[in-house]
């Protein structure tokens, strides 16, 4: 309900404002124009603008290029990377234990598509489209060191694990409209339907090096397999409100 109230309130406000001025013929997106699209969330006086999301829920920078007046190439680019660090020192009995760990990962998403727009002039610009969701899921690396110190000396344990990545593939269709509240600036609504398959994992290996207080270091290797396969069908329970701006070639 909040979504529809926000939609009605926002569009009505801009329509009333826009009717005060005559709209130029080249005020919509024309051949050669390119633009960016953001997503609007919130409720009336608490609206915020965020990147759009792809079919699998990953943030992306959405761009359009009109190679003809009513035909647009659509591209979404997303990066999902992380680096987590943990460092702590504890007392265990008469020993001091220092622990440090680092985990890293990087994913890249590339979502191309095409749109067919049905009007060339005027503020209201409905469209339909289709495209692909493509993702490269990078491997995950985990490294840690635990140092135990007591009155007899120092013991050390080192861990190094490498876990394989995977890929994301999907197809989607979209339909909606843009309403140009000012030349090249449009408020829109989109609804997406599609499916995707996310596969991740496989054979992994990790190495543990134990160095005791006295004696030789012991090296052990762990080899195994961990695989996940997720299939999703997305029928969004609501449309999304978008804000787009197009840059003219001239």
């Amino acid at each position: 309900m909040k979504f529809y109230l926000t939609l009605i309130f926002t569009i009505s406000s801009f329509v009333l404002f826009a009717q005060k001025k005559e709209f130029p013929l080249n005020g919509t997106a024309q051949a050669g124009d390119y633009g960016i699209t953001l997503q609007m969330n919130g409720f009336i006086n608490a609206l915020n603008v965020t990147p759009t999301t792809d079919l699998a829920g990953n943030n992306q920078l959405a761009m359009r290029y009109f190679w003809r007046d009513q035909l647009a190439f659509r591209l979404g680019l997303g990066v999902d990377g992380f680096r987590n660090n943990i460092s702590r020192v504890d007392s265990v009995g008469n020993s001091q234990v220092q622990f440090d760990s680092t985990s890293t990962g990087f994913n890249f998403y590339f979502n191309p598509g095409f749109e067919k727009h049905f009007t060339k002039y005027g503020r209201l610009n409905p469209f339909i489209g289709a495209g692909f969701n493509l993702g490269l899921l990078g491997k995950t690396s985990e490294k840690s060191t635990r140092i135990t110190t007591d009155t007899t000396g120092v013991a050390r344990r080192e861990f190094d694990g490498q876990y394989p990545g995977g890929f994301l593939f999907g197809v989607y269709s979209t339909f909606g409209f843009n309403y140009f509240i000012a030349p090249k600036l449009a408020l829109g609504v989109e609804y997406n339907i599609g499916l995707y398959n996310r596969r991740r994992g496989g054979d992994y290996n990790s190495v543990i090096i134990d160095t005791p207080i006295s004696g030789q270091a012991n090296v052990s290797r762990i080899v195994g397999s961990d695989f996940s396969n997720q299939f999703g069908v997305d029928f969004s329970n609501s449309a999304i409100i978008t804000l787009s701006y197009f840059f003219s070639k001239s």
Side-chain angles (χ1 to χ4, degrees), residues 55-57 133 168-171 194-198 230-234:
L55 199 65
N133 293 110
L168 170 72
F169 177 78
V171 293
L195 53 88
Y196 67 91
N197 182 224
R198 180 191 283 116
Q230 179 186 6
F231 180 80
V233 179
D234 181 54

Side-chain angles (χ1 to χ4, degrees), residues 25-219:
L25 292 178
N26 63 348
T28 61
Q30 309 288 315
D33 290 356
Y34 60 94
I36 58 174
T37 298
L38 299 172
Q39 181 173 328
M40 299 180 65
N41 303 289
F43 182 61
I44 302 178
N45 62 342
L47 289 174
N48 60 84
V49 180
T50 64
T52 61
T53 56
D54 65 15
L55 199 65
N58 304 298
N59 289 331
Q60 63 174 356
L61 175 63
M63 298 171 284
R64 288 188 176 102
Y65 174 73
F66 278 78
W67 57 287
R68 292 186 180 177
D69 284 339
Q70 294 171 267
L71 294 175
F73 174 68
R74 181 173 179 148
L75 180 63
L77 296 176
V79 174
D80 177 14
F82 68 90
R83 180 182 178 90
N84 296 327
N85 295 303
I86 298 176
S87 180
R88 62 174 180 261
V89 178
D90 297 315
S91 294
V92 180
N94 295 323
S95 302
Q96 175 183 279
V97 179
Q98 178 181 342
F99 179 80
D100 295 286
S101 72
T102 301
S103 58
T104 58
F106 183 85
N107 305 317
F108 176 74
Y109 306 100
F110 175 79
N111 304 318
F114 289 92
E115 291 178 352
K116 166 61 178 176
H117 293 249
F118 293 99
T119 57
K120 181 178 179 181
Y121 303 111
R123 294 181 182 273
L124 187 62
N125 183 223
F127 64 87
I128 60 173
F132 297 95
N133 293 110
L134 306 172
L136 298 176
L137 310 180
K139 70 178 182 178
T140 301
S141 174
E142 296 182 5
K143 296 183 179 182
S144 66
T145 302
R146 188 180 67 186
I147 300 174
T148 303
T149 305
D150 60 20
T151 57
T152 62
V154 177
R156 185 185 187 95
R157 165 170 279 204
E158 298 172 85
F159 173 84
D160 187 348
Q162 303 292 328
Y163 303 92
F167 69 88
L168 170 72
F169 177 78
V171 293
Y172 71 90
S173 61
T174 183
F175 56 92
F177 67 87
N178 289 322
Y179 186 85
F180 284 84
I181 58 179
K184 305 301 181 181
L185 179 64
L187 184 70
V189 175
E190 291 186 15
Y191 187 85
N192 298 309
I193 302 174
L195 53 88
Y196 67 91
N197 182 224
R198 180 191 283 116
R199 304 183 66 179
R200 185 162 206 159
D203 296 334
Y204 68 87
N205 69 85
S206 58
V207 176
I208 300 175
I209 304 175
D210 279 309
T211 306
I213 294 176
S214 61
Q216 297 294 321
N218 178 55
V219 179

